[in-house]
Amino acid sequence: MRLPWLVLVLMVVIAGCLEMNETSKSTQSSSLESSFSCPVIYPGYGEFNANNLLFEKLDGKVLQTPAFLMPPNATIRIRGEIFAKEYKVGNITCYYAGKVEIKAFLGSPSTSESWSRTAENLKDIENISVEITPRELFIPPEKNATFEVEINTKNTHVGQKYYVYIVAFGENGWKSWGRIEIKIWGSKESSH
């Protein structure tokens, strides 16, 4: 009688070990899948514009190529939006998302979709004031985040042009940028 009980106990123990092994493999597989499902290096290796940054007037109208005529000593506010743009790696859907830092630069009138070509023409802001609020955002997958750009032309002169580049730096290496053109017109006494 002891032999059947011993066989039964051994079968239960072996079945439990096999199930634990399968559960362990399943857990390892899902953790590997989640850690490798979306690459840290984005399409284009972060070299190309992710094109997930939009500008709009505070009334909600989207600005395809924002350009403004402003007198000296004037201020304009523009809303920016960064959306978690979708991209595919094989059959897996990924997003340009996560923590983002937003910075402003002055640049040239010509734009490029290549970061290395764009970056070589960027310099620190001078003569005008550009404030971004907030400077850091978090974009969840399938969501978007907004920020505000305030441009003040306090130290400008009539006839000057400024090409303000707003650049979003994703924590995982992707970048997105857009340009706002400001042309100074009117008289020095004008204020807005």
Side-chain angles (χ1 to χ4, degrees), residues 33-50:
E33 187 177 303
S34 66
S35 64
F36 292 109
S37 60
C38 290
V40 174
I41 298 176
Y42 290 90
Y45 304 97
E47 169 63 11
F48 299 106
N49 193 341

Side-chain angles (χ1 to χ4, degrees), residues 49-60:
N49 193 341
N51 286 312
N52 64 338
L53 188 149
L54 300 172
F55 297 110
E56 58 186 44
K57 290 184 178 179
L58 295 181
D59 65 5

Side-chain angles (χ1 to χ4, degrees), residues 48-162:
F48 299 106
N49 193 341
N51 286 312
N52 64 338
L53 188 149
L54 300 172
F55 297 110
E56 58 186 44
K57 290 184 178 179
L58 295 181
D59 65 5
K61 181 181 178 189
V62 174
L63 303 167
Q64 296 299 326
T65 52
F68 300 95
L69 293 173
M70 294 179 66
N73 298 312
T75 300
I76 189 168
R77 288 179 186 83
I78 304 162
R79 183 179 296 127
E81 180 177 49
I82 303 176
F83 58 96
K85 184 177 178 181
E86 180 182 297
Y87 65 94
K88 299 269 188 192
V89 176
N91 292 329
I92 300 168
T93 300
C94 302
Y95 297 91
Y96 293 102
K99 185 179 173 185
V100 177
E101 184 178 10
I102 305 168
K103 295 182 179 182
F105 301 93
L106 289 180
S108 66
S110 61
T111 59
S112 172
E113 290 300 304
S114 160
W115 174 245
S116 56
R117 299 234 12 208
T118 300
E120 69 187 17
N121 293 314
L122 298 180
K123 60 182 184 176
D124 290 338
I125 299 289
E126 56 186 37
N127 295 333
I128 63 172
S129 168
V130 179
E131 295 295 326
I132 301 169
T133 310
R135 287 190 167 271
E136 289 188 359
L137 301 167
F138 183 81
I139 311 164
E142 300 186 60
K143 302 286 183 183
N144 54 21
T146 60
F147 60 95
E148 188 173 289
V149 178
E150 180 181 286
I151 299 173
N152 184 291
T153 58
K154 61 184 174 185
N155 295 317
T156 61
H157 302 287
V158 173
Q160 291 178 315
K161 277 190 179 180
Y162 297 91

